[in-house]
Amino acid sequence: MDRDGTGEAAEAGAKVPGPRRIVAAAVVTGVEGVIVAAFGLFSLVLLVTGSPDDMVQAATLAVTVLALSVLPLAAARGLWRRRRWSRGPSMIVQLLALPVAWQMAQNGGGLIAAAAALALAAVAVLACLVNPKATEALGIDAR
């Protein structure tokens, strides 16, 4: 990637998306975005096929969750293309995932395994994104 962050170098070398850390962060962030989008679509299907107690609340939930899926999906695409702007949104998604994982773990049962997976994924992506090789590949200077 060129230093000005335009990503033209990344587009020229589309076969090799970059360091493995960035690729891993992009894939995990993208999977998180797809899961959030799937939950939003599932909520929308339940809204249409079911009879919710509060139609407005159900519609708001579905639309909000679908809108929230845009951030990790955009960040994953940006990481894949080695855009320097994508690091911040991906890190925000991971930092928001940690309290969600904590809350899931507090509910117990089968959610404990999902909470552990979410927390491990968030920590792994954060570790990948703060790595000096990843920041260098994204064109972020160490200060």
Side-chain angles (χ1 to χ4, degrees):
M1 179 176 199
D2 51 323
R3 285 286 182 197
D4 66 354
T6 59
E8 292 169 358
E11 290 176 24
K15 293 180 184 174
V16 181
R20 287 181 294 196
R21 289 171 184 88
I22 294 176
V23 172
V27 168
V28 173
T29 303
V31 167
E32 291 169 340
V34 167
I35 290 170
V36 172
F39 178 70
L41 289 173
F42 179 72
S43 298
L44 195 59
V45 167
L46 286 180
L47 172 69
V48 172
T49 61
S51 56
D53 294 336
D54 185 356
M55 187 69 85
V56 173
Q57 185 178 12
T60 302
L61 172 69
V63 170
T64 301
V65 171
L66 283 171
L68 288 174
S69 71
V70 172
L71 182 64
L73 292 172
R77 185 172 189 266
L79 286 172
W80 187 262
R81 299 179 73 192
R82 288 192 289 170
R83 306 286 186 177
R84 77 184 294 171
W85 62 262
S86 62
R87 181 176 178 245
S90 182
M91 291 180 80
I92 289 169
V93 167
Q94 305 318 314
L95 291 172
L96 290 173
L98 291 172
V100 170
W102 176 259
Q103 190 62 40
M104 288 170 63
Q106 297 303 309
N107 289 328
L111 291 178
I112 292 176
L118 179 59
L120 286 173
V123 170
V125 171
L126 287 169
C128 287
L129 293 177
V130 298
N131 184 279
K133 288 185 180 183
T135 57
E136 181 183 330
L138 290 171
I140 300 168
D141 297 328
R143 294 179 189 199

